[in-house]
């Protein structure tokens, strides 16, 4: 007996399109049975990594435009500086080198304060997967208190370790856009730094948050694979599913705890 196979085919279009009608008629002529399952609206999603350029500018807040309660809201010099740095993200295209930022002394001082505060805390409380890559980041990316690493160096390091790359953005992305990027092994990072008046507080992700907080774990193969799986699940997902995936990811990565050596 000839084997029988069932195929489920998803297409973009409706029976009002001539091409779709011709396709269905051809299938009817050459198969035993054709069942039309109905239509389903699927949100737009990137089909290749360069498609990420489409949504990288759709930030929810921050960037060069600050809220009234932001520590740097009344600092015109700080706002002008952020606007210049954000232009790096606006002009960047996939495949191009990430523009470097020549950080000012005041920005370096802010970084150093955050670095010094977190270093003893991460040595005591961070998981081993985080701690074990710090020496490599020191060596390969200039990861130290008197130097803010450049995103291009970070991207090249991560790509060699786990295949992830860094893409500069000018502010906070939606959960859908951020997770879609993970599917293509892309981690989004800002390049500006928090306001110097409150070095241990930031109302939105900045270069301290991204590099000191997230980057080390993306050098771990298991964490990178987990992140990509979450991202792949987000492709074409409904708004409700995106919310669920975001909760899993945020509360695992941003706020999660792990048991290590009984502690």
């Amino acid at each position: 007996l000839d084997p029988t196979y069932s195929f489920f085919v998803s297409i973009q279009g409706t029976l009002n399109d001539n091409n779709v009608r011709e396709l269905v008629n051809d299938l009817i002529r050459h198969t035993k049975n054709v069942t039309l399952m109905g239509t389903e609206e699927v949100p737009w999603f990137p089909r290749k990594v360069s498609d990420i350029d489409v949504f990288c500018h759709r930030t929810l807040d921050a960037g060069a435009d600050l809220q009234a309660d932001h520590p740097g809201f009344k600092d015109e010099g700080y706002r002008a500086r952020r606007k210049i740095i954000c232009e790096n993200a606006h002009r960047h295209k996939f495949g191009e080198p990430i523009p470097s930022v020549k950080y000012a002394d005041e920005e370096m001082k802010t970084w150093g304060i955050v670095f010094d505060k977190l270093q003893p805390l991460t040595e005591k409380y961070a998981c081993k997967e985080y701690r074990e890559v710090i020496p490599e980041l020191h060596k390969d990316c200039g990861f130290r208190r008197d130097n803010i690493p450049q995103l291009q160096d970070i991207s090249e390091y991560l790509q060699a370790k786990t295949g992830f790359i860094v893409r500069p953005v000018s502010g906070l992305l939606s959960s859908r856009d951020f997770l879609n990027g993970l599917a293509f092994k892309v981690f989004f990072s800002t390049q500006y730094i928090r306001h110097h008046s409150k070095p241990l507080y930031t109302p939105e992700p900045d270069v301290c948050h991204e590099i000191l907080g997230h980057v080390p774990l993306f050098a771990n193969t298991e964490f990178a694979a987990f992140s990509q799986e979450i991202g792949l699940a987000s492709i074409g997902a409904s708004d409700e599913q995106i919310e669920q995936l975001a909760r899993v990811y945020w509360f695992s990565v941003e706020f999660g705890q792990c048991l290590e050596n009984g502690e």
Side-chain angles (χ1 to χ4, degrees):
L1 296 177
D2 292 334
T4 299
Y5 299 97
S6 295
F7 293 92
F8 293 87
V9 181
S10 177
I11 62 172
Q12 184 174 349
T14 70
L15 286 175
N16 293 325
D17 302 326
N18 290 332
N19 289 340
V20 174
R21 286 201 302 271
E22 290 178 8
L23 171 63
V24 172
N25 288 334
D26 282 344
L27 290 173
I28 291 174
R29 286 193 294 269
H30 295 91
T31 62
K32 293 182 177 180
N33 181 57
V34 175
T35 302
L36 301 180
M37 307 291 289
T39 61
E40 179 181 356
E41 289 293 329
V42 177
W44 179 90
F45 58 87
R47 288 167 171 76
K48 55 185 183 297
V49 66
S50 59
D51 288 345
I52 289 173
D53 288 342
V54 172
F55 62 73
C56 273
H57 311 313
R58 299 197 304 239
T59 53
L60 300 179
D61 54 24
D65 300 320
L66 307 184
Q67 300 295 323
D69 59 349
H70 192 285
F73 180 74
K74 296 181 179 180
D75 187 336
E76 293 299 329
Y78 176 77
R79 297 183 67 164
R81 173 66 170 161
R82 276 180 62 135
K83 185 175 182 180
I84 292 172
I85 294 176
C86 286
E87 284 301 315
N88 285 344
H90 293 156
R91 292 192 300 264
H92 184 73
K93 300 295 183 184
F94 173 74
E96 298 176 349
I98 302 172
S100 297
V101 176
K102 184 175 177 57
Y103 289 101
D105 290 343
E106 191 170 58
E107 293 169 325
M108 293 296 304
K109 181 179 178 181
T110 300
W111 166 272
I113 292 172
V114 179
F115 190 96
D116 289 344
K117 179 69 174 181
L118 291 180
Q119 187 172 30
L121 296 175
T122 53
E123 289 176 355
K124 183 176 181 180
Y125 297 112
C127 62
K128 66 178 180 63
E129 289 80 4
Y130 179 102
R131 299 192 309 271
E132 64 188 11
V133 302
I134 298 301
E136 287 187 356
L137 287 169
H138 278 281
K139 176 178 177 291
D140 297 339
C141 304
F143 193 86
R144 58 183 191 269
R145 74 168 312 281
D146 62 347
N147 179 66
I148 302 176
Q150 297 294 333
L151 292 192
Q152 181 63 32
D153 294 334
I154 294 289
S155 187
E156 291 175 2
Y157 169 76
L158 292 180
Q159 189 167 31
K161 294 287 289 186
T162 62
F164 261 83
I165 60 173
V166 177
R167 207 290 184 188
V169 288
S170 62
L172 185 66
L173 295 175
S174 70
S175 295
R176 179 181 297 280
D177 290 345
F178 181 83
L179 294 175
N180 280 184
L182 294 180
F184 293 89
K185 290 191 171 184
V186 174
F187 171 65
F188 300 103
S189 175
T190 53
Q191 288 181 289
Y192 52 76
I193 198 165
R194 62 195 64 187
H195 195 259
H196 60 84
S197 65
K198 292 187 176 181
L200 300 182
Y201 166 76
T202 177
E204 85 280 290
D206 72 331
V207 71
C208 296
H209 173 94
E210 315 285 25
I211 295 180
L212 294 173
H214 289 299
V215 161
L217 282 178
F218 279 100
N220 177 269
T221 54
E222 291 184 357
F223 179 84
F226 161 72
S227 297
Q228 187 184 24
E229 286 296 324
I230 292 286
L232 290 169
S234 76
I235 296 294
S238 66
D239 290 343
E240 181 182 3
Q241 291 167 334
I242 289 293
E243 183 178 0
Q244 293 169 339
L245 290 169
R247 284 180 178 174
V248 169
Y249 198 69
W250 300 151
F251 287 100
S252 297
V253 176
E254 296 278 357
F255 306 103
Q257 293 181 322
C258 61
L259 182 66
E260 186 176 282
N261 298 325
E263 298 183 355

